[in-house]
Structures are given as C-alpha cells and as structure tokens.
Amino acid sequence: MQQLFLKRLSALVATLTVAVLFSSSLLAAGKDGSATELASLLKSYETYQADFIQIVVSENGNNVQETRGLLKAKRPGLFYWETRAPLSQLIVSDGKSVEVYDPDLEQVTIHSLDDRVQNTPALLLSGEVDNLEETYRVSGRQISEDTREFTLEPKNEDSLFVSLRLTFFNNELQEMRMQDSLSQLSVLSFDHIRLNETVERSVFKLEYPEGVDVIRDDN
C-alpha cells in the first residue's frame, strides 16, 4: 500500500513538473512581478533534460522514500519521466494523452491529458488564464547573486498541496519543493541539467512488453 502511494505521489510530482515547465504563458498573465519574472525564466526552455533525486519527508522529518530517475521535456507538452527501482515507473505524455507504466504491476494506464491534469495540482498552473491571481499567491526572493527562489501558494484550502517552491541557479531550475496537505514534503533535486538540446519526438512514445494490462481511463 505504501509503495502504491509513493508511486502515485511520484506521478503527481511528474505531472506538476511538466505543467510548471511548459505553462509559463499562464504565469505571464498574472500582474504580480514575481509571476512575470518566473515566466520569463521558463519561456526560454524549449527542452529540459535532467537526472533527479526525489525525497519524500514525513511530517516528523523522517525520510519516507528516496528515488532517482530521469526526466525529459519538450514544448509543447511532451514529457518523459522515469523512476528507477525500487519504485520503477515510466510516465510519458505526447501532448494528447498520458501513459503510466508500472513494470512491477505489468500494467499501463492511459489517461487523456485533460483528465489527467484535472486530478492534480497542475490544473492550477494550466487552467484558466484569467483566474491565476484568484488561485495563487506568487512571491519571489533573491537568495544570492546567482540564486532566485519563487513560492506558489494556492488560495483554495482544498488544494492537494500547500505550497510549491522553485529554486533557480543561473536561470536553471535546480529544485522543486512541494508541501502537501498531509504535511509531507517532496523535494525534487535536478542534476546534469541540459537546456535546449535536441530531443527527438520518438523519446515521448512509451514502449512496453506485450501482454501487459492496458487500462484506458476515458472518464
């Protein structure tokens, strides 16, 4: 049960990541200076590739799980997220649908992109442009000469997360910290970052063995 929860949390962070990386036009619509500045940084990302370490920390400060993996993202809306063992999982989006492959379960779940977003905090980043300021409080601060930090806080008390913090070093997204409504903290740290390198579209096509269960969530 705990492993399933962690996989779902990983999928949640993955979807949120792609929304942040490729929904900068929405952020630019806000009147807040920090939101506009954040949009300016993200707009320069045509492709983003990095290794990551994801650490989930419980309310009492204990590490619940540490996972490592790889992500690749390309405008508009193409996304590849691979979490390595012991929580192996692949999440791929071609801009129209999202496929989640769990090798341990021998199962693939396919969601329409809209349905997938509607069940995650990504909705708040990629939803209606006009209601951004009604949904988020966006603030920014300079940590050092090369480091800038932005914090997004949903105004809706029913949101699945309490805050999302993005840290940039020399204009590269280096870390995301998501505090959820259960007081768990998910820290996503990026390494070996490659910006605007060529990424073939074929990367965003999920391949899996014959015989796996394929579930299409069309609701």
Side-chain angles (χ1 to χ4, degrees):
M1 181 66 70
Q2 183 183 40
Q3 186 180 59
L4 179 60
F5 168 78
L6 292 171
K7 284 188 175 183
R8 287 176 176 172
L9 180 59
S10 179
L12 172 66
V13 175
T15 309
L16 181 58
T17 302
V18 73
V20 171
L21 290 176
F22 297 104
S23 297
S24 58
S25 60
L26 175 68
L27 292 171
K31 297 179 182 179
D32 183 271
S34 295
T36 302
E37 183 182 357
L38 176 57
S40 173
L41 288 173
L42 297 178
K43 280 182 177 179
S44 64
Y45 294 3
E46 293 298 325
T47 67
Y48 183 96
Q49 302 177 77
D51 298 327
F52 67 81
I53 300 176
Q54 180 182 343
I55 299 175
V56 180
V57 181
S58 65
E59 183 178 8
N60 60 15
N62 294 328
N63 284 4
V64 177
Q65 185 69 49
E66 177 178 323
T67 56
R68 296 172 182 264
L70 169 69
L71 83 85
K72 298 182 181 183
K74 180 178 182 177
R75 294 183 186 275
L78 303 178
F79 187 63
Y80 174 95
W81 171 281
E82 177 184 355
T83 302
R84 303 188 180 104
L87 295 176
S88 299
Q89 188 179 63
L90 286 170
I91 302 172
V92 177
S93 173
D94 62 1
K96 297 180 180 179
S97 64
V98 178
E99 295 180 293
V100 181
Y101 172 41
D102 287 300
D104 296 338
L105 301 177
E106 297 184 338
Q107 177 178 293
V108 175
T109 305
I110 302 175
H111 308 261
S112 70
L113 189 59
D114 288 343
D115 289 340
R116 184 67 178 168
V117 169
Q118 286 175 359
N119 292 304
T120 70
L123 175 64
L124 302 178
L125 289 174
S126 56
E128 294 294 332
V129 172
D130 295 337
N131 66 0
L132 177 65
E133 291 187 319
E134 297 176 4
T135 305
Y136 268 120
R137 290 182 291 271
V138 182
S139 61
R141 65 179 183 134
Q142 197 73 30
I143 304 300
S144 68
E145 181 178 356
D146 301 318
T147 305
R148 184 72 170 157
E149 180 182 278
F150 298 88
T151 300
L152 292 82
E153 299 178 313
K155 296 180 179 180
N156 186 348
E157 295 181 358
D158 295 328
S159 174
L160 296 178
F161 72 99
V162 175
S163 68
L164 174 66
R165 182 178 299 173
L166 310 177
T167 302
F168 293 81
F169 178 76
N170 285 333
N171 294 335
E172 292 185 350
L173 180 62
Q174 297 277 338
E175 183 182 87
M176 297 176 64
R177 288 176 173 253
M178 185 177 70
Q179 187 86 40
D180 67 23
S181 57
L182 300 177
S183 298
Q184 287 195 133
L185 176 67
S186 180
V187 181
L188 196 62
S189 300
F190 302 111
D191 194 14
H192 302 113
I193 298 168
R194 286 89 69 199
L195 291 177
N196 298 329
E197 293 184 2
T198 300
V199 183
E200 297 298 331
R201 193 177 182 90
S202 59
V203 169
F204 307 100
K205 181 176 176 59
L206 183 60
E207 296 184 358
Y208 42 85
E210 293 184 6
V212 303
D213 292 330
V214 178
I215 302 172
R216 296 183 180 275
D217 184 3
D218 296 325
N219 296 324

